Amino acid sequence: DKLENLRDINELLNENKQLKDQVAVLSYQNKLLLQDKYELDGLRELYALDKKYLDYPKVAARVISKDTNNWYNVYTIDKGSRDGLKKNMNVLAGNGLAGIITEVHYNYSVVRSIIDDNSSVSGMFLKTSDTCVVQGDLKLMDEGKIRVELINKDAQISDGDEVVTSHISPNYLQGILIGYVSDITLDASNMTKTAYLTPVVDFKRLEEVLIITELKEPL
């Protein structure tokens, strides 16, 4: 009886090991499938973004590194001069403007996003064509917003209005969505208005971007 019990125990142990091995394999396969799904979702987003700005030629790139803080305010992509990229090319992600190329090397480039403290984008309200300046602010970005300054005091704008890149911007192509405005206030000087802007790009998670391979003609 004891020998029989030992044989049963050994069989159960072997069966248990086989089941654990099968679970490990299935778990690994499941992770691969999830990874493929996330990559497919990302490609679908890029495809939709490409269709939105169909008039501009574009090339896709993957984000390969960023600064050590929580935000993708300065990040590196895996495309460079060998792929035809140049300084000041506009970068798209999510549903609109993600930044601009500041450095180009042979097989990688550096991008400064619109939320960076050194970023300043000439914007325009889509509804009224009033111009403004979208100013990066990393501290304010912790609340999910950046600043909009130098709005005409007579501009007929309201919360939720779209802000796009302006026709007078020296480096940004016209009509790229930047975000949605809120909390509009009249400045103390009574000459201009100030507001906040919620970007249409998630700058906490950036994996793939589109680079517009067309530079804006100098004014």
Side-chain angles (χ1 to χ4, degrees):
D1 290 343
K2 288 182 179 179
L3 287 173
E4 191 69 31
N5 288 335
L6 284 173
R7 279 196 294 269
D8 291 343
I9 290 171
N10 285 331
E11 288 178 1
L12 288 172
L13 288 173
N14 289 331
E15 186 179 348
N16 186 53
K17 183 179 181 303
Q18 291 175 0
L19 289 172
K20 284 182 177 178
D21 290 342
Q22 290 178 7
V23 168
V25 171
L26 290 172
S27 178
Y28 177 70
Q29 291 175 342
N30 187 51
K31 287 178 181 178
L32 290 178
L33 288 172
L34 282 174
Q35 184 178 348
D36 289 343
K37 178 184 179 299
Y38 293 145
E39 289 181 358
L40 181 59
D41 289 343
L43 290 173
R44 281 174 176 161
E45 288 180 2
L46 285 186
Y47 179 75
L49 188 61
D50 181 39
K51 291 299 181 186
K52 183 175 181 179
Y53 300 99
L54 198 59
D55 292 340
Y56 294 129
K58 294 173 286 294
V59 63
R62 185 179 294 274
V63 177
I64 55 176
S65 70
K66 72 177 186 71
D67 275 0
T68 55
N69 59 32
N70 292 330
W71 301 103
Y72 282 82
N73 58 304
V74 177
Y75 52 93
T76 304
I77 57 176
D78 65 351
K79 296 287 175 68
S81 59
R82 70 176 181 183
D83 307 290
L85 300 193
K86 296 178 182 178
K87 185 178 178 181
N88 290 331
M89 283 183 171
N90 297 184
V91 181
L92 308 177
N95 200 29
L97 186 65
I100 195 166
I101 293 179
T102 56
E103 296 178 27
V104 177
H105 303 269
Y106 179 67
N107 59 355
Y108 72 94
S109 300
V110 178
V111 180
R112 182 181 65 231
S113 76
I114 62 169
I115 67 170
D116 188 71
D117 291 335
N118 294 317
S119 173
S120 182
V121 182
S122 177
M124 179 178 70
F125 288 90
L126 192 61
K127 185 175 73 173
T128 65
S129 296
D130 287 289
T131 59
C132 60
V133 174
V134 178
Q135 185 66 47
D137 190 326
L138 284 177
K139 288 185 179 179
L140 189 59
M141 194 61 205
D142 286 332
E143 301 175 21
K145 301 174 182 177
I146 52 178
R147 299 186 185 280
V148 185
E149 302 172 345
L150 300 178
I151 307 167
N152 189 310
K153 70 181 180 73
D154 297 321
Q156 299 299 308
I157 57 174
S158 55
D159 287 359
D161 283 354
E162 292 178 313
V163 177
V164 300
T165 47
S166 167
H167 57 286
I168 62 172
S169 175
N171 295 321
Y172 290 94
L173 296 160
Q174 182 179 350
I176 302 172
L177 182 61
I178 306 173
Y180 301 93
V181 73
S182 63
D183 303 314
I184 305 159
T185 57
L186 186 65
D187 292 337
S189 65
N190 289 327
M191 298 293 293
T192 56
K193 291 177 181 178
T194 302
Y196 293 131
L197 178 133
T198 303
V200 293
V201 176
D202 183 358
F203 288 103
K204 274 194 172 180
R205 298 174 185 83
L206 273 182
E207 295 183 3
E208 292 93 12
V209 296
L210 287 177
I211 300 95
I212 297 177
T213 55
E214 174 185 312
L215 288 169
K216 187 166 187 179
E217 294 182 6
L219 297 175

